[in-house]
Amino acid sequence: MSPPSSSPKKKRIFVGTFIYTPVLSPPTISILERAVIGVDERGLIGFIEKQVEELYDWDNEDGNSVDGLTKGMRSAVVKNGWKVEDVEEAGVSGWDGLGWWFPGFVDTHTHASQLPNTGLFGTTTLLEWLKTYTFPLESRFSSLSHGRRVYSRAVTSNLSHGTTTCAYYATIHPESTNLLADICIEKGQRAFVGKVCMDCQDTCPDYYREESAETSLESTKAVVQHIKAKDPKGELVQPIVTPRFAPSCTKPSLSALGQLAEDESLPIQTHISENKGEIALVKQMFPECESYAGVYDSFHLLTPRTVLAHGIYLSETEMELIRSRGTGVSHCPLSNTSLGSGICPVRKLLDHGVKVGLGTDVSGGGSCSILTAAREASGVSRLFANFEQENGESEAHTERIKLSVAECLYLATRGGAECLGLEKKVGAFEVGMEWDAQLVRLESMPEEGDDDGGEERGMEGIVHCWGNESWEEKAAKWMYCGDDRNTRKVYVKGRLVYDADDDDVSPLQPDRR
């Protein structure tokens, strides 16, 4: 199995309004109206034409034309040196001001194997939750039939929520990890897929533990070889070295994994400072290291291609170490609150120059939606600001802690891409980047005196537009109130991978997760 063609047979154009967040500082929402973006046969953005005249003017009054393009579309194509006969119109955001194109979401941290446990927390905190819920579930993935059932749903659900790139943790089982990579390739999702490494007898249960550091390393190498054989250039799916977290691995295992990542130029993902009990355990197990981040650094696991999940209780010294190594942090606000772990000081991380993206952390997080993660990131930042104010911090200080809509949407897209080393490929709309995008549509309310009683409404969610909202306000409403019903189409590298209105492309009805 080789990666499916991620690009169309012909050049394509996408038309309408485009919204994205090009930079984090100052927080900016860029809006391109009456625009045309050309995507070539490789799935790359070839041109961006803004404020196109006669964009919605057809040759005939009945809305038809010989080549399927309007006058404005044809003009944009010719102006950029493309031939009209080589182009097809692939998508329009809508003529009614209710839809726009937005970059595909980037989920920097999730556990595909844990999907069946979504919403199950009990009253546990992290370490007890792992023993009670997580390890028993993950141990079942020695069964490939079980793996296919769960992983197929996980990938499709993520695509239906607009997530075009995902960093997945699988389990300790190499065969089912390979299966997850195969499913990502089949369904066209850009992904990093990692076999979980955990060989420590003191912290891992007998029924769910690798035999030795050597066994863990060899099975990891086998997964790396499998993925590279399926996608040699890593155009869609890449292997990622995945020590679960420091306490789950022996020192020989951590050392070997760091060396493997260096030898094979592989990305790395793991957890850090999620829970105070976890931090105490790390200190007990690695007394020679000054900090949790120092443990990873001592085994050469902090690199520009490393993503650390959570980072709630990092010291400023650790933040500076992480920044100096070019390592990123995956902020998982829903999981942090669901498990009662704490609140990540995202503004402090950003002020230290640390790269930050968003993660859903299913099943610690109860939703596979990065849109949900974005609004949770906003909410917990406001809560944290209130705590700081009660502790006597100035109003100027506490106001800075709050994350804006633009910042949260940046973390959901380009911020995540930066963490995964994809910032030149995805996360924004720029010439030369790959067309990873989602079509977002909102619900309009009837005009006064034209109330339809709510009949035949609700197909595009609960985000109501009343006709007077700016594009920035529509984006804010979407972030705070939207769900997968607003995601109508999803593209990865120019390939349509999800269409809410086409069962052949969308093998599940959109759900609310």
Side-chain angles (χ1 to χ4, degrees):
M1 178 195 307
S2 59
S5 173
S6 294
S7 55
K9 294 179 181 179
K10 297 180 68 175
K11 293 180 173 70
R12 291 182 174 183
I13 58 171
F14 295 85
V15 179
T17 300
F18 301 80
I19 299 178
Y20 67 105
T21 50
V23 294
L24 183 59
S25 182
T28 304
I29 294 180
S30 182
I31 299 168
L32 311 179
E33 294 187 76
R34 297 204 322 273
V36 177
I37 289 184
V39 177
D40 67 19
E41 299 91 339
R42 300 167 296 169
L44 303 180
I45 296 176
F47 70 82
I48 300 175
E49 197 67 31
K50 309 171 187 177
Q51 295 295 328
V52 177
E53 298 295 333
E54 301 182 303
L55 182 57
Y56 304 132
D57 292 348
W58 296 93
D59 294 336
N60 304 315
E61 292 183 359
D62 59 4
N64 294 318
S65 63
V66 175
D67 51 26
L69 306 180
T70 65
K71 296 177 182 178
M73 296 176 194
R74 203 176 295 120
S75 173
V77 167
V78 173
K79 180 179 178 180
N80 285 278
W82 288 12
K83 296 180 180 179
V84 171
E85 58 267 26
D86 294 337
V87 173
E88 64 181 5
E89 178 268 299
V92 178
S93 66
W95 323 104
D96 51 10
L98 295 171
W100 66 88
W101 298 100
F102 192 79
F105 290 134
V106 179
D107 189 343
T108 56
H109 180 71
T110 193
H111 297 260
S113 56
Q114 294 179 24
L115 182 65
N117 275 1
T118 304
L120 300 180
F121 315 110
T123 57
T124 60
T125 54
L126 175 65
L127 298 180
E128 189 62 32
W129 172 77
L130 289 172
K131 296 176 184 178
T132 304
Y133 294 99
T134 304
F135 292 158
L137 173 67
E138 290 190 10
S139 69
R140 298 177 59 191
F141 281 78
S142 58
S143 165
L144 289 181
S145 60
H146 178 70
R148 177 167 288 281
R149 181 186 181 209
V150 174
Y151 288 152
S152 293
R153 178 71 185 203
V155 174
T156 302
S157 293
N158 286 328
L159 288 172
S160 76
H161 285 79
T163 301
T164 52
T165 300
C166 213
Y168 286 117
Y169 286 59
T171 65
I172 66 173
H173 309 100
E175 294 82 6
S176 58
T177 302
N178 291 342
L179 177 61
L180 173 57
D182 293 348
I183 290 171
C184 290
I185 292 173
E186 290 171 6
K187 295 182 179 293
Q189 186 180 42
R190 194 183 300 275
F192 295 78
V193 176
K195 182 200 74 68
V196 174
C197 300
M198 40 190 294
D199 69 313
C200 182
Q201 295 184 10
D202 296 332
T203 57
C204 303
D206 292 341
Y207 66 87
Y208 189 54
R209 183 182 70 239
E210 295 174 292
E211 293 181 4
S212 64
E214 293 78 15
T215 300
S216 181
L217 178 64
E218 290 307 311
S219 61
T220 297
K221 287 182 177 179
V223 170
V224 171
Q225 292 170 358
H226 175 89
I227 295 175
K228 286 189 173 183
K230 295 296 179 72
D231 191 351
K233 297 181 180 180
E235 294 180 349
L236 197 65
V237 177
Q238 299 182 45
I240 184 167
V241 174
T242 309
R244 184 176 211 109
F245 64 155
S248 71
C249 299
T250 61
K251 294 175 183 178
S253 181
L254 291 172
S255 179
L257 293 173
Q259 190 63 53
L260 175 64
E262 182 177 344
D263 292 343
E264 299 284 340
S265 298
L266 297 172
I268 301 166
Q269 61 182 357
T270 189
H271 300 76
I272 192 170
S273 296
E274 180 179 359
N275 171 278
K276 290 183 178 180
E278 166 206 8
I279 295 169
L281 180 60
V282 170
K283 187 174 183 179
Q284 175 186 332
M285 294 179 68
F286 301 90
E288 70 280 7
C289 295
E290 292 185 1
S291 65
Y292 200 157
V295 173
Y296 290 132
D297 195 48
S298 69
F299 295 108
H300 307 288
L301 290 166
L302 292 187
T303 77
R305 301 192 70 194
T306 298
V307 180
L308 302 172
H310 303 290
I312 297 173
Y313 299 105
L314 294 170
S315 67
E316 297 208 14
T317 300
E318 287 180 294
M319 291 182 189
E320 181 56 29
L321 173 60
I322 291 168
R323 182 210 61 78
S324 70
R325 298 292 185 257
T327 295
V329 171
S330 175
H331 177 37
C332 306
L334 185 55
S335 171
N336 294 344
T337 53
S338 296
L339 293 175
S341 299
I343 299 177
C344 179
V346 174
R347 180 67 67 197
K348 186 176 288 187
L349 287 170
L350 295 174
D351 286 347
H352 274 270
V354 175
K355 298 180 295 188
V356 180
L358 294 180
T360 57
D361 193 26
V362 170
S363 65
S367 170
C368 71
S369 167
I370 283 291
L371 190 65
T372 297
R375 65 171 157 262
E376 290 290 327
S378 171
V380 297
S381 73
R382 290 170 176 268
L383 187 62
F384 188 55
N386 185 62
F387 291 157
E388 290 288 273
Q389 188 172 22
E390 290 181 352
N391 288 333
E393 294 289 348
S394 68
E395 182 177 354
H397 170 79
T398 57
E399 282 300 310
R400 281 200 72 252
I401 291 173
K402 300 175 184 178
L403 298 176
S404 67
V405 170
E407 288 172 316
C408 292
L409 292 178
Y410 183 94
L411 299 184
T413 52
R414 200 159 203 171
E418 290 172 348
C419 288
L420 294 169
L422 297 177
E423 65 273 15
K424 294 183 180 179
K425 281 190 173 184
V426 301
F429 297 135
E430 296 175 2
V431 172
M433 299 185 79
E434 299 184 4
W435 180 250
D436 283 21
Q438 55 183 308
L439 174 61
V440 178
R441 282 195 59 78
L442 306 184
E443 179 82 12
S444 67
M445 297 306 293
E447 298 291 334
E448 294 182 16
D450 187 31
D451 190 358
D452 62 3
E455 297 177 4
E456 298 183 359
R457 309 196 73 80
M459 290 300 293
E460 289 159 353
I462 60 172
V463 188
H464 300 147
C465 287
W466 297 84
N468 59 344
E469 297 92 346
S470 67
W471 283 112
E472 290 88 351
E473 290 170 334
K474 292 172 188 175
K477 280 192 168 187
W478 172 56
M479 192 189 87
Y480 283 117
C481 306
D483 58 32
D484 58 311
R485 286 171 290 185
N486 302 116
T487 305
R488 308 312 298 170
K489 296 179 188 291
V490 178
Y491 289 82
V492 175
K493 202 178 180 183
R495 176 192 175 196
L496 180 64
V497 294
Y498 175 79
D499 186 340
D501 301 312
D502 186 345
D503 289 338
D504 291 334
V505 183
S506 310
L508 84 135
Q509 291 296 316
D511 54 33
R512 304 282 77 75
R513 284 193 307 277

